[in-house]
């Protein structure tokens, strides 16, 4: 087990003393009246809150080892001076590490180093040293995936802070608010924010439902920031409907007419009525008991951040239709930020006209969430809305064309063949969950759904007006807030190109931007044992939302990347891409650094026999395996580099240049980059170390503690990047080029960005093929492709 | 989706009115002053607690359909009389069922029937009819796996009951206590119960730690029953140590000497000192914040049952050693019941001698828990300890020989090859978690561990003194409490023979016994959507522990079995085994109902080539697949029945009689019964329908909502029973018979009990083989076996 902490704020001795006193772990006179051992014992007993008697205190000290052979009580009775070994042997036990498993009782300092726990060692320990080391210990993570302070919090140590006056909150420790807000007294209320649109054609401005959970202290004058998660899923989903309208992908690609214009998407009314205001209320009329929660938000809630969820237009109890990423959906979420910031109207319900204000909010808003949720955080940020100070954009789409299309091709998010914008709109249109409301809107919605199905244009796969409305990248220069991006390098659902484009655009802006790349797929990382992500967000939000001057931007790394070889290893960088690149040439099944002379052409056949075709359609993973093993090039062309002499770190967006001909007047080229080499790789998904093992507060909220581990079995290869392009979109995704059968054309195909270490002994492999059973249309046409290798290049960015 | 409810107590109209008034859903005058539609509307609005304004009430009624085209508000405005269709269309929506997915809005009564929801229909609805139907509705399960009353509870509807005086608690509704105990005010305390043993040889009686969570009302005079879960795992486990000492099973079976005596297990001291009493305290000195919990207990806790956990001897903060199912371990758990019942001493800590009594307990104790936990519930029940009124024994071992041995063979629990009693003792010896305590006991424990490793006797696999100490079946006649057994028909870990033997023994006793057989493996069933298990336990425990006269024994079925063909289908029976049996004969690869004439002998070879052997040792599931497909009988003999004309229900313990010869002077015979037929079968494990989707109370405890579904893929066969026997244990497991190479011997092998429907068209198949890579030793000896089919029979109990 290895610990990685980035949220510990450097702190001087005086601050440590003051903060320990503030959280009542230290009394002012103790620094002068006690010996170091007495002070240490006092601190130890103060953090053991289960015991309320001397007998139990004694038993506890007698249950822990101070040396390999003496318990703490036995060791104390010998009146020896404190040593590094004693302090850290006890520290390891306090941090829940286990002798023989995590460390040796005979070498605690080695254990601390091996686990990567911070230490302060001394020749002779003074009281100040005890204080400093103990302070650091409180900020050090236990084996259970939370720092010691948070573990003590989850044991109830700081419930006394609940009753502190609002004026003394939040209570900060090491630059972060601690859990001083009583979750049993949270106020849960619902308001309806009025938007500037009428997407359900009823003549009235759409209202959107907002669910708020805020500390009771906000009723006593405390103003708190809001952490807002925009989730179209939160009011329920229509999974069966989505399945039913999922598109058939077993259809052929066709020749595109360069003059074809895809239909426009439906317009919404320009004029509509605002809701009449009939009065104002200080209190909400509607409450709720629970709503699907992001556990990071739950962690933050007891630390004083108000937590806000809204599902936006087209969801249960809101007006409007589901537009899948349109500017209207963005604006419906922006409206929530505006209300929180005091710039927009909300009502206590949808009919009475009674207004209600977010008087409890300090006007600072952060947004969080993964996938669609993170997408909307990004989208709202690109509006530059006042009040939005920071977003944590996780696994977020930055351009819906990069989600459902690619270079003139219909492209599935990994695992969701046949999904498209209209399908997602249907799945999230939760007004179905209010059956009478749905009966009234059903026809309007069905008509609108037909409109977006046409406008998304699966016929050509081209970039058009529909997609440009759903591309947030051109508006990045409007962003006024700071941005933390989190993305999985193995996310085949929201592919890494989404975060790469956002990251690159932000590098030209003055805003703070932070990037975390992990080895997962489409997941949250806040319950990882090896990384203090929740503490990082708490530190960062303390700065952005509580306006605490804690140097968060300087403390947190700009780019943090999880290693793909060593488990539990996170490295810091200053940017994503390396400064150099390597050009590789294609020759007889090989990748070479030197330009080859003449190379014979390569041909492969995209057509499969019926049985194989149906089997691969049913089990796409079987196709993916077959592709990796198709070394004789039946339906793909393989180019393999020589085994590496040393590790090679690939960083950034690889580019493939190909000269290719299709035997038909249409066609596509796909490519995969493969890390070829036998190794025990990280698990695809994090392993659950302890179900509900992470307590987010005292008796309030739990999460499953997780971590990537090395797989038990060796594997021979891993796909690290890929790309696809329609041979009729050689210039760009919106421009159709002509194509004739057997005409050689040059295409330049950017592959998914990477940050990957190819181990010494491994080989880089390029696979060029056509139909991608996991992502593209698959019509199983009788088409063959010819590659002219001497006109192909693979450019790999690296250190 | 199909609903199955067994815990609804039949109730007359007067009781319904009284109970609805008691939970404040009905005011006394409303039956006379309101019209049926007004009364219905009033009741609807009272269960919609999120809204606090007329506007929101109106919006809510306007969001639900009363007819296919009218909302409730629209329908009410037409002043039409209530109909069955209106009442149940609304009811379906209240119960969270969804139009188009779960039912048609045009046929709500059909929908209610299809989902198996209880109904009361009327030609003309009176106020009394409204009341009665609404009462029934509150007891009806929603789509989300809890009855409507519990759903309202989880929304906070009954928090007002928290402040009722202790004298008015518990508050019963339909024969079950409702959640009227405030979880935020639970008292969590620790005591140390003194036992009558010294299993760690320190001269002092062992103390065991007990964790108690009880309502604050118990400090105001309310006496409550205790639900006690005895879990050796609760203080932590030593998984790595367990792995390290797991036994090598890749060793050959050997010839047994009939005169061999296995060593006795270590004795514990007969004399030791009791702890001195130095005083008494009304309050505990130690508290705890959380302990691993069974979610059924959490559900019960807010309904007033005190929840008690103890890990027993040999665990963290307790004295003693881990003995794996010995009488001492049982007695350490029995001691906890005795303390709860007022018959035994406990202290506030392990050293001070301050006594503490369970003054808050009404003296009635129930025990719950699965696997080892349920095993100890069974074991404690067989002591006949006063105070223990009922146990829910889930997936419990009734005889450890049936867990780690079988008919003279070392036998692994499914999935745990090489585990044995000593390994489990090491895994659960959590005194390691107090490192200084462990250093003091390490040598004593290591010596004891050597003793039990010898006494468990992996050499012979025979039944001996060690195993007889761990067989609870002979003591079943001591049981004084009522017993509910729950077991998975596909539990290969704690195999069904364990519950069958307990069930059979109990049938000869006057105690109430109940049996639930589900289609799962080694799992809990309290979060299934299709079965009201938690309500059943609440009803039963209300009777057993709160002494409520609610006819629980009559209401609950004696035997409840989940169907293996239809999902979400639970059927009631009066006993497990059928009254008849069918004898099948073995002939040329076939099972026939008529005795064949001469049949040629069958031979198979147990030896595998090295590559196959190692592959199967590594991946036992590959061996299991190969066994099913070994139709030409290379290493097994297959006998297949004819396809069935009609469904055939197999109930009870199948028996196989075999005449067999081994080519060596030792050997074993294994058998599997297979349901051979292409079908979509139930998923192996329940599918998670909603993570944390089941709220156990208001903001207190969640569980993942689960259900078995039909698998997406067809499968060709499923193993439904199996058995193994050492050819040297032809008489019984403790008697060794001699065996010579090639000597034909007769063995009678009871297979695992079944309750299984073989569908029409399916075939029953018997596979006879030797080495079971999943469960037996596997030495890969060059042994062949001969079967004499004309002397073999398979006897199948059935209806």
């Amino acid at each position: 087990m290895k610990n990685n902490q980035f949220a510990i704020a450097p702190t001087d001795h005086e601050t440590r003393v003051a903060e320990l006193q503030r959280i009542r772990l230290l009394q002012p006179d103790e620094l002068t009246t006690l010996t170091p051992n007495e002070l240490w014992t006092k601190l130890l007993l103060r953090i053991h809150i289960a015991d309320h008697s001397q007998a139990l205190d004694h038993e506890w000290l007698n249950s822990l080892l101070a040396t390999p052979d003496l318990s703490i009580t036995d060791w104390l009775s010998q009146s020896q001076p404190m040593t590094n070994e004693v302090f850290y042997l006890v520290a390891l036990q306090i941090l829940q590490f286990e002798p023989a498993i995590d460390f040796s009782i005979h070498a605690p300092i080695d254990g601390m180093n091996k686990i990567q726990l911070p230490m302060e060692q001394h020749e002779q320990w003074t009281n100040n040293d005890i204080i400093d080391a103990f302070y650091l210990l409180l900020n050090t993570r236990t084996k259970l995936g939370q720092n010691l302070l948070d573990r003590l919090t989850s044991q109830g140590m700081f419930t006394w802070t609940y009753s502190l006056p609002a004026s003394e909150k939040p209570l900060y420790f090491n630059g972060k608010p601690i859990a001083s807000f009583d979750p049993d007294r949270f106020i849960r209320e619902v308001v309806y924010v009025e938007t500037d649109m009428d997407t359900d054609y009823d003549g009235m401005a759409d209202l959107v439902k907002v669910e708020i959970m805020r500390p009771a202290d906000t009723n006593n004058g405390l103003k708190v920031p809001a952490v807002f998660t925009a989730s179209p899923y939160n009011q329920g989903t229509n999974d069966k409907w989505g399945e039913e309208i999922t598109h058939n992908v077993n259809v052929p690609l066709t020749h595109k007419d360069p003059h074809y214009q895809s239909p426009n998407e439906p317009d919404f009314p320009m004029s509509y009525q605002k809701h009449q205001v009939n009065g104002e209320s200080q209190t909400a009329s509607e409450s709720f008991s629970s709503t699907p929660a992001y556990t990071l938000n739950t962690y933050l809630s007891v630390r004083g951040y108000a937590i806000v969820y809204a599902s936006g237009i087209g969801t249960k109890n809101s007006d409007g239709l589901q537009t899948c990423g349109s500017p209207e959906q963005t604006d419906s979420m922006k409206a929530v930020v505006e209300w929180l910031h005091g710039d927009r109207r909300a009502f206590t319900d949808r009919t009475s006209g009674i207004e209600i204000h977010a008087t409890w909010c300090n006007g600072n808003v952060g947004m969080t969430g993964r996938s669609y949720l993170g997408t909307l955080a990004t989208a709202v940020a690109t509006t530059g809305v006042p009040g939005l100070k920071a977003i944590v954009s996780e696994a977020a789409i930055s351009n819906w064309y990069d989600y459902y299309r690619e270079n003139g091709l219909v492209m599935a998010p990994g695992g969701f063949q046949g999904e498209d914008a209209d399908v997602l709109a249907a799945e999230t249109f939760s007004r179905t969950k209010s059956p009478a409301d749905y009966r009234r809107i059903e026809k309007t919605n069905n008509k609108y759904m037909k409109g977006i199905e046409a406008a998304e244009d699966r016929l050509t796969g081209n970039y058009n007006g529909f997609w440009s409305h759903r591309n947030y990248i051109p508006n990045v220069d409007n962003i006024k807030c700071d941005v933390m991006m989190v993305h999985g390098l193995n996310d085949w659902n929201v592919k890494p190109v989404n975060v790469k484009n956002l990251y690159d655009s932000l590098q030209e802006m003055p805003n703070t931007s932070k990037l975390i790349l992990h080895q997962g797929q489409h997941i949250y990382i806040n319950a990882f044992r090896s990384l203090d992500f929740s503490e990082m967000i708490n530190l960062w939000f303390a700065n952005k939302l509580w306006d605490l001057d804690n140097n968060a931007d300087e403390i947190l790394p700009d780019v943090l990347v999880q290693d793909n070889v060593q488990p539990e290893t996170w490295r810091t960088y200053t940017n994503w891409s390396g400064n150099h690149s390597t050009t590789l040439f294609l020759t007889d099944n090989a990748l070479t650094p030197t330009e080859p002379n003449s190379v014979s052409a390569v041909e492969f056949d995209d057509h499969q026999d019926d049985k194989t075709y149906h089997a691969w359609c049913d089990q796409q993973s079987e196709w993916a395996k077959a592709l990796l093993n198709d070394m004789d090039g039946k339906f793909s062309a393989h180019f393999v580099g020589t085994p590496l002499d040393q590790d090679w770190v690939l960083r950034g967006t690889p580019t493939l240049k190909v000269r290719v001909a299709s035997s038909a007047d249409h066609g596509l080229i796909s490519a995969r980059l493969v890390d070829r080499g036998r190794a025990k790789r990280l698990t695809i998904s994090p392993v659950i170390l302890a179900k509900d093992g992470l307590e987010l507060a005292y008796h309030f909220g739990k999460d499953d503690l997780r971590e990537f581990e090395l797989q038990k079995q060796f594997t021979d290869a891993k796909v690290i990047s890929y790309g696809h392009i329609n041979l009729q979109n050689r210039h760009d995704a919106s421009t159709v080029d002509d194509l004739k059968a057997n005409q050689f054309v040059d295409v330049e195909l950017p592959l998914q960005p990477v940050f990957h270490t190819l181990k010494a002994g491994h080989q880089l492999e390029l696979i060029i093929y056509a139909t991608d059973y996991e992502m593209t249309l698959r019509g199983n046409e009788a088409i063959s492709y010819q590659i002219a290798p001497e006109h192909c290049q693979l450019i790999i960015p690296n250190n």
Side-chain angles (χ1 to χ4, degrees), chain A residues 366-380:
Chain A
M367 289 184 74
T368 60
R370 179 189 56 117
S371 197
Y372 207 158
L373 293 56
T375 303
L376 290 170
T378 306
V380 172

Side-chain angles (χ1 to χ4, degrees), chain A residues 693-712:
Chain A
L694 194 64
E695 297 195 69
L696 307 170
Y698 179 60
H699 295 161
F700 183 72
K702 293 177 179 184
D703 205 342
D704 299 337
L705 187 68
R706 280 163 278 185
E707 191 63 63
F708 290 102
E709 295 182 349
L710 288 180
Q711 292 172 344
K712 297 221 166 85

Side-chain angles (χ1 to χ4, degrees), chain A residues 62 79 146 220 225 286 289 338 479-480 622 639 691 707 776:
Chain A
N62 199 31
S79 304
Q146 53 187 179
N220 299 323
E286 184 176 347
S289 61
E338 290 169 328
I479 293 180
K480 296 204 173 54
E622 290 301 311
F639 304 93
K691 187 166 160 53
E707 191 63 63
T776 68

Side-chain angles (χ1 to χ4, degrees), chain A residues 91-264:
Chain A
L92 282 162
Q93 295 168 79
I94 299 284
L95 295 173
Q96 306 292 310
F97 293 98
E98 295 188 80
I101 295 167
D102 301 304
F103 67 94
S104 160
I105 55 175
H106 303 285
I109 305 299
D110 291 351
M112 293 288 293
N113 281 324
K114 196 189 69 175
I115 307 169
Q116 299 181 176
L117 301 170
M119 263 186 297
E120 292 182 352
Q121 299 188 62
H122 306 281
E123 291 276 317
Q124 289 187 312
W125 285 68
T126 64
N127 274 0
N128 285 345
D129 299 335
I130 296 279
I131 289 295
D132 284 347
F134 206 86
Y135 177 94
L136 186 59
L137 185 64
L138 286 169
N139 288 291
T140 302
R141 286 202 136 203
T142 73
K143 189 179 181 180
L144 308 171
Q146 53 187 179
N147 67 35
L148 180 57
L149 189 91
D150 281 351
R151 176 166 164 78
L152 297 171
T153 298
S154 69
Q155 292 174 337
M157 180 147 184
F158 297 109
T159 52
W160 61 268
T161 63
Y162 294 170
S163 51
L164 284 176
S167 60
E168 292 183 28
K169 294 189 181 183
L171 194 59
Y172 295 107
F173 189 81
N174 195 247
K176 301 171 277 286
I178 72 169
S180 59
F181 296 88
D182 187 352
D184 294 338
R185 295 182 60 228
F186 279 162
I187 296 155
R188 289 178 178 81
E189 61 193 7
V190 176
V191 304
Y192 294 85
V193 168
E194 188 177 49
T195 67
D196 295 332
M197 66 188 87
D198 172 21
T199 63
D200 52 14
Y201 306 89
D202 68 351
M204 297 296 293
D206 289 349
L207 296 174
V208 293
K209 178 181 183 174
V210 181
E211 293 171 323
I212 301 142
M213 184 172 81
R214 58 182 169 91
D217 312 70
T218 55
N219 276 358
N220 299 323
L222 182 69
K223 296 202 183 250
V224 301
V227 170
F228 167 37
T229 297
S231 169
Y233 303 119
N234 252 44
Q235 301 291 320
T237 54
N238 302 308
D239 301 352
K240 201 172 164 187
W241 184 8
E243 269 173 44
E244 280 165 9
I245 65 168
T246 291
H247 300 275
N248 179 17
V249 297
N250 298 341
V251 297
L253 211 62
T254 52
H255 183 80
K256 296 196 219 186
D257 171 2
H259 306 295
Y260 174 81
Q261 290 281 344
S262 53
N264 288 332

Side-chain angles (χ1 to χ4, degrees), chain A residues 371 402-403 412-416 490-495 498 522 722:
Chain A
S371 197
D402 289 334
Y403 190 64
F416 300 98
N490 292 297
D491 192 340
W492 289 37
N493 180 339
V494 178
K495 295 167 186 135
N498 282 280
H522 195 59
Y722 46 91

